[in-house]
Amino acid sequence: MTKYLLCDNMIEYWNPQIERMPLDELEQIQEERLRHLVDYVYTHSPFYKKRFDEAGVKPEDIRTLEDLQKLPFTYKQDLRDNYPKGMFCVPDTQLVRYHVSSGTTGKPTVVGYTKNDIHEWAKSLGRALTSIGVGRGDVLQVSYGYGLFTGGLGLHYGAEEVGSTVLPISVGNTDKQLELMQDLGTTTLACTPSYFLYMAEEAKDKGIDFQEDTGLKTGIFGAEPWTEEMRKRMEDATGIKAYDVFGTSELSGPLFTECTCQDGIHIWGDQFIVEIIDPETGDTLPEGERGELVITTLKKEALPLIRYRIGDCTILNKQPCECGRTHPRIMRVTGRVDDMLIIRGINVFPGQVESVLMKIPEVEEHFMIHVDRINEMDTMKIQIEMNDEAFSDKVNDIISLEKKVASALKSVLNLSVGVELVEHGTIPRSIGKSKKIIDNRKL
Amino acid sequence: MDEKFIKQISLFAENKPGHLANIASSFKEASVNIRAFTIAEAGDFGIIRMVVDKPEKAHRVLHDAGFTVSETDVLGIQMEDVPGQLATIAEVLGKKGVNIDYAYAFVTKTEKAFLIIRVNDLKTAVETLYEQGISLLDMGDVQSI
Ligand SMILES: [Zn+2]
């Protein structure tokens, strides 16, 4: 690890030569690796050979980064259709691990890893952890699930790469989480944001103060979308710095985090190429426009992916970051292309609702969106828990709070939304992915 | 003059069955006794307001049981003739610019009638009622009725 003195802040880099490389040099590396990649998949994967042939593209057609747009997309459905190993580019003897994603929306998908794949994954997270000041001397409590899910083992290897001490506690058993956090001096916690909120609530009930009673400084939160307002709430309530982490099992697992600037997630350009496309037309969008994230893996051996449709909506930012890193950033993910609700012709993301609600101190962060169709008309109702301190014994105060929430939602969503305040503890707390929508429309 | 206020406990409640039973059993365990009780309903939610003999304990018990609870200072007045006197009280308070947010009456085992009112200006209300010779209940009275 190398330390640089930049202005007044000591900034540490895991690999300064790569992380601070001028963008044009980085793009040169991407071009070289892209050319190698298309040769590699064309000769090693019958799936990609067929895909390229159908699209009428030959590996030699791909010379520059612009040529990337000539290549067909890869979809999650392709992984399902070729279950379990139909898209792998290496013989089984080269594989050192499998991860399998749950099949809640279809068949499961299997990702295989070579030894190099595991190491590239750990390197990517190693850079990321260093960029948020996590390294030797830190105790990283990994409260993501271990096992077939990539979260636990991913963070585990990344933390070991930078020399942190890992506490592989996995998800659940909140009493034990809080006890070991105090006894072993956890400095960094990795889990889903909803589980952290749950943990904070439990801690409060037990009289544990994160600032007074624990050494927790840093939170790494992901595996479900969250918002800026939620960050502020989590940081204010517990005194930690909260960072977003990004990755999906198909790309290996959690791979990238924000840096200390908290202004976007650096995607390591020597390992991946990022594009933002219009999800309807598939056209590449200019930098700064919101669209669907598409990623091409440059270093993966077992399961390389060409123009993989991640399904998340975000914005690409290639401007140099204040941390000194030149690698492009994706801004906060606002939701999934397939989570998008269309209500009376208007696109609504649960993330937008969440960010409105987070700005209203009288309500809690737990909410549920109910969508229904009544008399051929779509209706949307939000149930939200009232904050204990905001509760008044006057009926009118509560009605005007409901109106306040409804008008705040209307101004952002352009949609009339019903608001129902509910009692504390009514909305189900989720330990894994938050399920925030109940869609009762029979279409 | 603080001692002339009564602590009222208010609860946010969705209209869900079983709520009142939960409150009653929580209180029974904690030996809290309800003196006055009313529900203000509004569409899909309601506010339960009550006067109890041990407000601090009641607050804690309800909070621990997961209810959204608040405590409010209200005034308690012993009445001979509820409708007539309510009009008088509203009038004298109105002249001093004090508004009554809400009021509810209850009758004790000994058949005495009491009125609970919430006002927007407690200090002025207490002074005004005192000048009119209207005596107010304190927490000691609530415990003994
Ligand atoms: Zn940065």
Side-chain angles (χ1 to χ4, degrees), chain A residues 62 86 90 105 137 187 202 211 329 336 342 375 416 437:
Chain A
I62 310 304
V90 297
T105 51
T187 61
E202 291 284 296
Q211 269 166 300
R329 283 170 285 165
R336 302 269 314 158
I342 302 177
N375 300 332
S416 291
I437 304 168

Side-chain angles (χ1 to χ4, degrees), chain A residues 381 383 386-388 391-395 398-399 402 419-426, chain B residues 8 10-14 19 40 42 44-45 47 49 63 68-70 72 101-102 118:
Chain A
K381 185 177 84 176
Q383 277 186 319
M386 189 178 13
N387 191 313
D388 270 10
F391 170 59
S392 149
D393 64 316
K394 288 194 275 180
V395 172
I398 293 175
I399 292 174
E402 286 182 343
V419 173
E420 184 186 334
L421 289 169
V422 296
E423 283 172 65
H424 182 79
T426 309
Chain B
Q8 173 192 262
S10 308
L11 286 181
F12 179 71
E14 290 159 77
H19 255 105
D44 45 23
F45 72 91
I47 297 172
R49 303 177 183 130
H63 181 265
T68 303
V69 198
S70 75
T72 320
D101 293 322
Y102 55 76
R118 177 180 165 152

Side-chain angles (χ1 to χ4, degrees), chain A residues 102-139:
Chain A
S102 59
T104 44
T105 51
K107 249 192 207 170
T109 51
V110 178
V111 180
Y113 302 74
T114 66
K115 203 163 193 168
N116 284 335
D117 289 339
I118 297 282
H119 191 223
E120 287 293 324
W121 181 12
K123 258 168 49 185
S124 171
L125 260 183
R127 292 182 196 171
L129 290 171
T130 307
S131 81
I132 55 171
V134 174
R136 196 168 292 280
D138 280 299
V139 177

Side-chain angles (χ1 to χ4, degrees), chain A residues 205 388 423-425, chain B residues 11 19 21-27 29 57-69:
Chain A
D205 283 353
D388 270 10
E423 283 172 65
H424 182 79
Chain B
L11 286 181
H19 255 105
N22 284 343
I23 298 168
S25 70
S26 302
F27 279 1
E29 254 169 61
K57 196 167 188 186
H59 191 152
R60 204 170 52 242
V61 165
L62 291 171
H63 181 265
D64 292 350
F67 285 102
T68 303
V69 198

Side-chain angles (χ1 to χ4, degrees), chain A residues 259-261 264 266 321-325 329:
Chain A
C259 60
T260 44
C261 302
H266 290 283
C321 182
E322 273 181 44
C323 72
R325 291 175 182 81
R329 283 170 285 165

